[in-house]
Amino acid sequence: SQQGEEDPQALSIQEGENATMNCSYKTSINNLQWYRQNSGRGLVHLILIRSNEREKHSGRLRVTLDTSKKSSSLLITASRAADTASYFCATDADAYSGAGSYQLTFGKGTKLSVIP
Amino acid sequence: DSGVTQTPKHLITATGQRVTLRCSPRSGDLSVYWYQQSLDQGLQFLIQYYNGEERAKGNILERFSAQQFPDLHSELNLSSLELGDSALYFCASSVASDSSYEQYFGPGTRLTVT
C-alpha cells in the first residue's frame, strides 16, 4: 500500500500563481522528501525535511511538515510554465528492511499544469 | 543531468523473453535502487544494493533479479516477461545506504512487452 498520498491528483494554475500540494502518510517517519518528474523522465530531488523540522525553504519552494497530522505540503511560489510536472512525496518506511536501511515509498503524485 | 546512466533507453520484447537493464550510479555513490513505474501501480521500489550487497527488497517478483558489480554498476534481470511487466524502470543512486540522503534518478528504461 502507498505510504504517501498526494492531494490533489491534478492541479492547473496560471503562470505567476502559487501552487500547493499536500502529502499524507500513515506511519512514523525519519524524513520526507519531495521529487519532481517531467513527463516520462527521471525523478529529480527537490527537498528533504527531517521529522524534527517543521519548515524548509529552497528557492521558490517551501515545504512544511506536521508529524502530529502525518502530513506535509509543498508550496511553489510564482509558478512558471517550466514547473509543469508531476510532484511526488516520498517517505521512509517505519520498519527496517535491512540493517541500516529504510526504503523510500512514493505516492502517486500530483500532476501540476502551469498555463502560460 | 543526474550523473546516473541507464541503458538501453527503450526495449521492446516479446512475452516469455528475458532482458537485462543496466545502471551506472553517480561517481562516489555506493547505493543503487531499482524502481518500476507503471500507470496503475505508480512508482514501486524493487530492490537496493549497497557496495555490492543486497540491502533491501521491495515488491520484486521472483522472475526478477539484480546484482551490483565491484565497479558499482548494477543490472536488473527480468525473465519470463509478461505483458504486465511493461513499465518504466528507473535506477537511482545515493551516497549512503539509508534514506536520509537524496536519491539521484537515471532517465529510465522504457520496457514494452508485446
Side-chain angles (χ1 to χ4, degrees), chain B residues 25-93:
Chain B
R26 268 187 348 147
S27 176
D29 284 356
L30 299 178
S31 264
V32 169
Y33 306 80
W34 285 98
Y35 294 90
Q36 178 194 59
Q37 186 178 38
S38 60
L39 281 173
D40 55 342
Q41 293 293 322
L43 194 66
Q44 298 282 320
F45 167 75
L46 296 178
I47 198 164
Q48 177 202 4
Y49 279 83
Y50 177 74
N51 204 21
E53 293 189 4
E54 183 183 304
R55 185 54 63 96
K57 226 169 182 176
N59 299 323
I60 188 166
L61 300 171
E62 284 191 13
R63 300 183 285 109
F64 296 1
S65 65
Q67 55 184 322
Q68 187 179 28
F69 295 86
D71 67 352
L72 301 177
H73 91 270
S74 178
E75 291 181 357
L76 178 67
N77 301 296
L78 315 176
S79 61
S80 302
L81 285 167
E82 302 174 0
L83 295 177
D85 297 328
S86 295
L88 263 172
Y89 290 84
F90 288 107
C91 160
S93 72

Side-chain angles (χ1 to χ4, degrees), chain A residues 2 30-31 33 35 37 40-45 48 50 88 92-93 97-108, chain B residues 33 35 37 39-45 48 55-58 88 90 97-107 110:
Chain A
Q2 300 294 127
N30 293 300
N31 67 71
Q33 302 183 39
Y35 287 80
Q37 183 182 31
R41 305 185 71 172
L43 280 72
V44 174
H45 181 267
L48 181 153
R50 302 192 189 281
F88 296 86
D92 49 359
S97 57
S101 177
Y102 292 84
Q103 300 176 30
L104 275 186
T105 305
F106 287 80
K108 291 205 170 181
Chain B
Y33 306 80
Y35 294 90
Q37 186 178 38
L39 281 173
D40 55 342
Q41 293 293 322
L43 194 66
Q44 298 282 320
F45 167 75
Q48 177 202 4
R55 185 54 63 96
K57 226 169 182 176
L88 263 172
F90 288 107
S97 64
D98 65 82
S99 64
S100 298
Y101 297 86
E102 63 189 272
Q103 295 184 15
Y104 295 86
F105 281 74
R110 183 174 294 277

